[in-house]
């Protein structure tokens, strides 16, 4: 561990599960499951013996069922007071919620869900390929909402993979850095990087505030690649760099062995040099802190314990609109393509 407050690297810590985050983020989980071939029910073609079904986080054989019993995933559960940003890099997620909305997304797609005053949703991981393994790789980031927005109307936005801004930077030695810009403008004239504008976040998100300086970026660097992460522009912004794939990198001149969580001074540009032996991957989470009290009870995040008590009473009374589906863990047909159907029936598909 290091603590170099005078340099760009503030501290380096091992990367746990979930990932340690800083305000305005609540946490981030990284799922990397090597699911086997699929059975006829879109679950794993493998024995589930020895797993604690309903609560399986074992990673036995490189994968977990989580709260699923047939299909892996997270059957219906409530949220209030924050947002989930789900980045699905491999595999698929089948979403259903108490507003009557539903979706299938994956392959680089992102779903940004403002839970606001309350929503119940399920997130299942259907396995479709009966002839080959079904890898799943995703991040779910919890982004807090300020007190004024905690009771906002629930809302979800789809960022389809082909619409997410991306760019590649080739260095003088032939290394390449590829960046996906999920939130937060990246670069400006001063940094020598043409600005990359992100897609618009949901309207009540902290990320929608012009001065919140929220950013979510993923980086992929070939062996030996060099790239400079531009300084943040916001006042009081904090920044974490997660080194989640790869062996070694030099960050602001400091050797860091992965996996690691690296807190950086946001007001400083930081040179990242990947090791020479393998491709490495990173995620940047940054933002100006909301700087309000956080009271959390499981899937509810408010400002006070009294608000948590009220949330639990509200959920017992209303079930946040109830569950309109026959199954607590619904999945779509095996042949269904990626889509999203919003409350009210509006449907969208990638590329439309």
């Amino acid at each position: 561990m290091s603590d170099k407050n005078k340099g760009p690297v503030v501290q380096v810590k091992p990367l746990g599960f979930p990932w340690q985050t800083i305000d305005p983020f609540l946490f981030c989980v990284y799922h990397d499951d090597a699911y086997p071939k699929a059975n006829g029910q879109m679950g794993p073609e493998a024995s589930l013996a020895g797993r604690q079904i309903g609560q399986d986080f074992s990673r036995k054989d490189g994968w977990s069922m989580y709260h699923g019993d047939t299909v892996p995933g997270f059957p219906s559960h409530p949220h209030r007071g924050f947002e989930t940003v789900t980045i699905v890099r491999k595999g698929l997620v089948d979403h259903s919620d108490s507003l009557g909305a539903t979706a299938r997304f994956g392959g680089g797609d992102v779903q940004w869900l403002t839970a606001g005053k309350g929503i119940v949703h399920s997130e299942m991981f259907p396995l479709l390929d009966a002839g080959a393994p079904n890898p799943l790789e995703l991040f779910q980031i919890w982004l807090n909402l300020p007190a004024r927005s905690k009771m906002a109307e629930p809302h979800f936005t789809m960022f389809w993979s082909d619409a997410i801004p991306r760019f590649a930077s080739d260095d003088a030695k032939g290394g390449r850095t590829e960046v996906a810009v999920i939130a937060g403008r990246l670069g400006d004239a001063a940094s020598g990087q043409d600005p990359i504008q992100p897609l618009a976040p949901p309207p009540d998100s902290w990320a929608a505030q012009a001065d919140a300086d929220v950013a979510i970026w993923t980086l992929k660097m070939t062996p030996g690649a060099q790239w400079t992460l531009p300084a943040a522009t916001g006042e009081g912004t904090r920044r974490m760099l997660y080194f989640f794939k790869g062996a070694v990198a030099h960050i602001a001149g400091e050797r860091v062995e992965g996996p690691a969580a690296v807190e950086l001074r946001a007001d400083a540009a930081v040179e990242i040099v990947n090791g020479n032996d393998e491709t490495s991957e990173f995620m940047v989470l940054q933002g100006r802190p909301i700087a309000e009290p956080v009271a959390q009870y499981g899937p509810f995040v408010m400002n006070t314990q009294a608000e948590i008590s009220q949330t639990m009473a509200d959920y017992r009374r209303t079930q946040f609109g109830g569950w309109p589906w026959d199954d607590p863990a619904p999945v779509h047909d095996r042949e269904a393509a990626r889509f999203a159907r919003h409350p009210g029936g509006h449907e969208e598909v990638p590329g439309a």
Side-chain angles (χ1 to χ4, degrees):
M1 183 180 297
S2 66
D3 188 359
K4 298 184 177 180
N5 292 320
K6 293 182 179 179
V9 176
V10 178
Q11 60 178 342
V12 179
K13 293 185 176 180
L15 195 55
F17 184 90
W19 293 357
Q20 178 183 341
T21 55
I22 50 180
D23 188 0
F25 298 95
L26 297 163
F27 76 75
C28 176
V29 290
Y30 175 52
H31 297 285
D32 190 9
D33 288 281
Y35 291 114
K37 298 176 183 180
N39 62 22
Q41 298 173 292
M42 290 182 276
E45 182 61 72
S47 171
L48 301 183
R51 296 178 182 269
Q52 190 175 342
I53 296 304
Q55 186 74 26
D56 173 37
F57 290 76
S58 67
R59 290 198 56 76
K60 181 176 181 287
D61 301 323
W63 52 275
S64 300
M65 288 295 289
Y66 302 107
H67 298 310
D69 56 17
T70 301
V71 176
F74 295 84
S76 59
H77 57 280
H79 291 303
R80 174 182 276 186
F82 65 99
E83 299 183 285
T84 60
V85 183
T86 306
I87 306 167
V88 185
R89 290 156 46 107
K90 296 178 184 176
L92 294 167
V93 170
D94 279 0
H95 162 95
S96 303
D97 66 40
S98 55
L99 305 178
T102 185
R104 169 171 282 178
F105 59 99
D109 299 331
V110 176
Q111 184 196 63
W112 195 318
L113 173 69
T114 305
K117 68 180 184 181
I119 194 169
V120 180
H121 73 155
S122 68
E123 304 158 290
M124 305 308 297
F125 310 148
L127 311 183
L128 305 188
D129 194 333
N134 289 268
L136 176 86
E137 184 187 10
L138 67 82
F139 304 96
Q140 187 168 93
I141 300 159
W142 286 20
L143 174 60
N144 203 5
L145 286 167
R148 65 177 181 271
S149 303
K150 285 195 177 291
M151 297 298 284
E153 290 297 323
H155 179 90
F156 85 81
T157 298
M158 291 303 309
F159 291 173
W160 301 110
S161 180
D162 60 1
I164 293 172
R166 293 178 167 85
F167 81 96
S169 174
D170 295 318
D171 61 46
K173 296 182 178 179
R176 168 162 282 211
T177 300
E178 298 174 355
V179 183
V181 179
I182 294 157
R185 187 177 78 162
L186 177 61
D188 55 30
S191 70
Q193 163 70 53
D194 290 336
I196 306 294
Q197 295 287 357
L199 300 173
D204 293 296
S205 177
W206 182 242
Q209 305 297 311
D211 62 350
D213 209 19
V214 169
I216 303 171
W217 305 320
T218 60
L219 286 60
K220 184 176 184 179
M221 304 181 73
T222 60
Q226 303 178 29
W227 185 70
T228 298
L229 177 65
T233 56
E235 186 71 27
T237 300
R238 298 185 69 188
R239 173 182 279 177
M240 293 287 285
L241 176 70
Y242 299 95
F243 180 14
F244 66 93
K245 278 192 178 179
V248 175
H250 285 83
I251 300 170
E254 180 171 341
R255 176 186 167 92
V256 176
E257 296 184 1
V262 184
E263 183 176 357
L264 299 172
R265 271 184 44 201
D267 62 354
V270 175
E271 184 183 55
I272 304 170
V273 182
N274 188 24
N276 293 321
D277 295 332
E278 59 185 279
T279 295
S280 292
E281 297 196 60
F282 306 82
M283 174 179 278
V284 176
L285 295 182
Q286 76 170 39
R288 180 168 63 85
I290 294 172
E292 295 176 351
V294 173
Q296 180 172 356
Y297 183 81
F300 307 137
V301 182
M302 303 301 287
N303 295 103
T304 68
Q305 285 303 130
E307 290 170 340
I308 290 290
S309 297
Q310 184 62 55
T311 295
M312 294 171 68
D314 291 346
Y315 179 60
R316 284 193 295 268
R317 187 179 71 255
T318 70
Q319 298 294 296
F320 294 162
W323 189 245
W325 312 98
D326 293 336
D327 187 328
V331 290
H332 305 303
D333 292 341
R334 186 184 293 268
E335 295 76 22
R338 291 147 56 223
F339 76 99
R341 188 175 303 118
H342 294 260
H346 168 67
E347 188 160 327
E348 60 175 310
V349 296

